[in-house]
């Protein structure tokens, strides 16, 4: 049997992390191919429901990444997002959703190397944790069960 | 109670308000919310230990929206709801007269927003010791057990949305749960949809919930919904020093930020 390859969804902002990930590519830095990048205008736009939807649709890990504080293209989107993540992380924890599978990071457009590191380390971590079976089972169960 | 009746009667007789929201006798020993428009109707107004429902809910309904001015019989939970609604620009101070009543049932007379803020601060919080104990019990569980606890706790949910209907803060014209393009929350009441629905509700109330516990009381299958909001309120008070329902001018914790918010969880 082949090794478990996690599915990782990355929600990234257009202005920093997406450009950063682009730089990773143009710099020819090799990194794990397990990540599927979803581009958003801003981290402030990333609804927490999208994260649960990602888990429900089969993701084993999630990366949420955007501009460093004070670098936001829209001045303050990442500040609002930071607070929301704090609260979201708290409620996930309380409800038993595995927060080790959600990685938050700041990656600027100049940090191509950091993006590769984040993806690789997340990939390693999720490989150790294995597939997120409990949530997948819940979301794909028979409705009448 | 006589004092409440006297104030209410005067308000209507002197034409200071068009409508009074309070309670009247219901079937058996129960009470039900009632709307009074004439002074002579006030004889039916009652206030006793059963009048625990958060009737601030009606402030966003047609009957109250159509009235030019109104008064409401307000226990501390109602007062806090009014302050929170006011901070969200949902009710104007000149439109509403608050007949304040403490948790012990003592009438404190008419309150303007300033007095209501003071009153709200002196009254105890809504969190009961048994709710606190349950929160601690859940927090002490291992991850998988916590997840299973909530999946099981939500499994009897029939998606009647009584929690939403009874919540004064859930006044959106169109709730996310009714959005079907995309379908955020599955319609059928299965375990997965229930989990997402309750998580979404708790997140939408984060920093705005005044902890009246009405969602819990209205739940026909007794899901301990309120402790989700209690837990978040506690966290938000600790983390951001922000508490809903205490001030008429207030921005909920998730609508503001500071440059020094914690980010030790961000890589």
């Amino acid at each position: 049997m082949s090794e478990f390859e996690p599915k990782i969804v990355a929600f990234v902002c257009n202005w920093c992390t997406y450009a950063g990930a682009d730089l990773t590519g143009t710099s020819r830095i090799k990194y794990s191919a397990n990540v599927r990048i979803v581009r958003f205008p801003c981290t402030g736009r990333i609804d927490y429901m999208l994260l649960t939807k990602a888990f429900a649709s089969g993701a084993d890990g999630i990366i949420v990444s955007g501009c460093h504080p004070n670098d936001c293209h829209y001045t303050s989107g990442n500040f609002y997002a930071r607070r929301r993540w704090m609260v979201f992380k708290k409620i996930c924890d309380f409800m038993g959703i595995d927060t080790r599978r959600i990685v938050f990071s700041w990656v600027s457009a100049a940090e191509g190397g950091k993006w590769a590191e984040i993806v690789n380390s997340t990939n390693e971590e999720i490989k150790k944790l294995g597939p997120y079976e409990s949530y997948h089972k819940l979301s794909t169960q028979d409705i009448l069960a | 109670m006589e004092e409440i009746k006297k104030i209410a009667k005067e308000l209507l007789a002197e034409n200071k308000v068009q409508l009074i929201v309070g309670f009247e006798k219901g079937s058996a020993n129960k009470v039900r919310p009632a709307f009074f428009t004439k002074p002579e109707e006030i004889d039916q107004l009652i206030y006793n230990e059963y009048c625990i429902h958060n009737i601030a809910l009606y402030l966003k309904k047609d009957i109250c929206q159509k009235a030019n001015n109104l008064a409401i019989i307000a226990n501390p939970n109602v007062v806090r709801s009014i302050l929170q609604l006011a901070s969200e620009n949902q009710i104007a101070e000149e439109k509403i007269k608050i007949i304040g009543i403490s948790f012990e049932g003592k009438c404190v007379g008419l309150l303007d927003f300033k007095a209501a803020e003071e009153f709200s601060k002196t009254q105890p919080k809504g969190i009961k010791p048994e709710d606190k104990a349950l929160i601690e019990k859940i927090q002490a569980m291992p991850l998988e057990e916590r997840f299973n606890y909530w999946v099981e706790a939500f499994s009897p949910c029939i998606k009647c949305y009584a929690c939403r209907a009874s919540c004064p803060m859930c006044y959106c014209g169109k709730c996310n749960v009714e959005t079907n393009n995309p379908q955020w929350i599955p319609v059928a009441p299965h375990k997965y949809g229930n989990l997402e629905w309750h998580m979404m509700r708790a997140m939408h109330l984060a920093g705005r919930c005044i902890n009246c516990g009405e969602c819990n009381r209205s739940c026909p299958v007794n899901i301990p919904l309120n402790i989700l909001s209690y837990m978040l309120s506690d966290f938000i008070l600790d983390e951001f020093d922000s508490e809903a329902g205490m001030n008429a001018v207030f921005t909920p914790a998730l609508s503001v930020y500071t440059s020094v918010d914690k980010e030790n969880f961000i890589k």
Side-chain angles (χ1 to χ4, degrees):
Chain A
M1 215 182 100
S2 60
E3 204 190 338
F4 162 62
E5 288 294 343
K7 283 186 185 147
I8 300 169
V9 182
F11 296 97
V12 304
C13 92
N14 177 38
W15 305 101
C16 292
T17 306
Y18 195 84
D22 216 11
L23 182 68
T24 321
T26 48
S27 314
R28 303 283 188 269
I29 300 172
K30 208 170 169 184
Y31 68 101
S32 161
N34 298 52
V35 70
R36 288 117 171 108
I37 296 181
V38 188
R39 177 161 67 157
F40 279 81
C42 178
T43 38
R45 164 65 182 86
I46 302 171
D47 194 311
Y48 47 85
M49 289 302 289
L50 292 165
L51 274 63
T52 62
K53 288 286 163 200
F55 279 143
S57 330
D60 303 302
I62 291 173
I63 299 171
V64 183
S65 183
C67 306
H68 285 266
N70 294 319
D71 270 356
C72 181
H73 185 77
Y74 308 101
T75 318
S76 55
N78 54 359
F79 285 120
Y80 290 111
R82 183 166 64 183
R83 279 207 165 190
R84 194 181 313 142
W85 295 343
M86 282 171 82
V87 176
F88 182 65
K89 211 166 161 310
K90 181 79 188 170
I91 195 158
C92 278
D93 220 32
F94 189 60
M95 290 173 83
I97 289 165
D98 197 345
T99 46
R100 289 170 301 178
R101 294 172 185 276
I102 310 176
V103 172
F104 299 104
S105 67
W106 307 131
V107 174
S108 84
E111 293 176 323
K114 186 180 176 187
W115 175 247
E117 272 166 38
I118 296 266
V119 173
N120 287 336
S121 66
T122 309
N123 195 31
E124 287 309 308
E125 175 83 352
I126 305 291
K127 263 189 187 162
K128 267 185 236 145
L129 292 171
Y132 195 4
E133 263 165 10
S134 54
Y135 207 91
H136 296 164
K137 228 160 69 191
L138 183 74
S139 59
T140 53
Q141 64 172 343
D142 189 340
I143 287 170
L144 298 173
Chain B
M1 195 163 102
E2 287 315 309
E3 202 183 341
I4 303 168
K5 275 187 176 174
K6 195 172 144 259
I7 297 173
K9 213 168 223 168
E10 271 173 21
L11 283 173
L12 281 176
E14 291 165 22
N15 252 335
K16 282 194 177 136
V17 296
Q18 292 178 335
L19 178 74
I20 288 179
V21 188
F23 292 94
E24 66 181 5
K25 195 182 172 321
S27 53
N29 272 332
K30 297 197 175 98
V31 292
R32 62 179 169 223
F35 303 90
F36 305 96
T37 50
K38 296 188 189 78
E40 56 271 25
E41 289 171 357
I42 292 297
D43 295 330
Q44 282 154 35
L45 186 145
I46 60 168
Y47 193 87
N48 57 29
E49 69 271 28
Y50 297 110
C51 300
I52 50 170
H53 310 97
N54 193 342
I55 50 174
L57 167 77
Y58 296 104
L59 294 175
K60 286 294 292 170
K61 306 288 179 206
D62 268 5
I63 186 165
C64 292
Q65 292 283 303
K66 279 177 188 159
N68 293 332
N69 39 36
L70 59 104
I72 185 163
I73 312 289
N75 63 26
N77 285 333
V78 178
V79 172
R80 284 174 189 155
S81 305
I82 293 169
L83 290 173
Q84 182 60 23
L85 284 171
S87 78
E88 295 174 13
N89 297 326
Q90 299 302 318
I91 186 125
E93 185 169 12
E94 53 276 15
K95 188 179 162 172
I96 187 162
K97 295 206 184 313
I98 305 168
I99 305 171
I101 294 164
S102 72
F103 276 127
E104 290 88 48
K106 194 176 159 289
C107 179
V108 292
L110 284 177
L111 305 172
D112 58 8
F113 278 4
K114 191 112 198 86
E117 285 170 359
E118 290 306 313
F119 177 65
S120 174
K121 281 176 190 117
T122 56
Q123 290 293 307
K125 304 272 165 57
I127 304 188
K128 285 184 255 142
E130 60 261 38
D131 296 326
K132 268 231 158 82
L134 183 55
I135 293 177
E136 272 155 27
K137 192 183 131 203
I138 294 168
Q139 278 169 338
M141 290 175 185
L143 186 76
E144 201 68 5
E145 204 181 312
R146 237 178 300 156
F147 186 69
N148 291 336
Y149 171 85
W150 282 113
V151 169
E152 283 317 309
F154 292 143
S155 65
C157 175
I158 49 170
K159 290 258 182 86
C160 66
Y161 302 133
C163 43
R164 182 187 65 179
S166 65
C167 179
M169 297 313 144
C170 271
Y171 55 75
C172 291
K174 186 172 183 183
C175 178
N176 241 19
V177 79
E178 266 118 32
T179 310
N180 51 16
N181 190 17
Q183 183 88 52
W184 281 108
I185 310 285
V187 178
H190 49 64
K191 288 177 178 175
Y192 158 60
N194 292 350
L195 185 82
E196 284 204 339
W197 155 242
H198 290 293
M199 178 191 248
M200 186 201 80
R201 213 183 92 80
M203 275 301 283
H204 282 184
L205 288 169
R208 301 170 58 236
C209 174
I210 54 111
N211 292 330
C212 62
E214 198 62 47
C215 44
N216 191 27
R217 276 196 291 274
S218 65
C219 183
V221 290
N222 296 322
I223 301 171
L225 291 172
N226 55 337
I227 69 161
L228 283 176
S229 303
Y230 284 175
M231 188 277 299
L232 280 186
S233 304
D234 247 13
F235 175 72
I236 285 167
L237 182 63
D238 282 355
E239 207 65 53
F240 309 124
D241 196 25
S242 163
E243 202 174 13
M246 293 294 161
N247 290 297
V249 181
F250 170 75
T251 321
L254 289 188
S255 307
V256 284
Y257 63 88
T258 65
S259 55
V260 292
D261 285 339
K262 254 187 213 157
E263 56 170 33
N264 48 13
F265 64 97
I266 300 175
K267 279 189 187 169

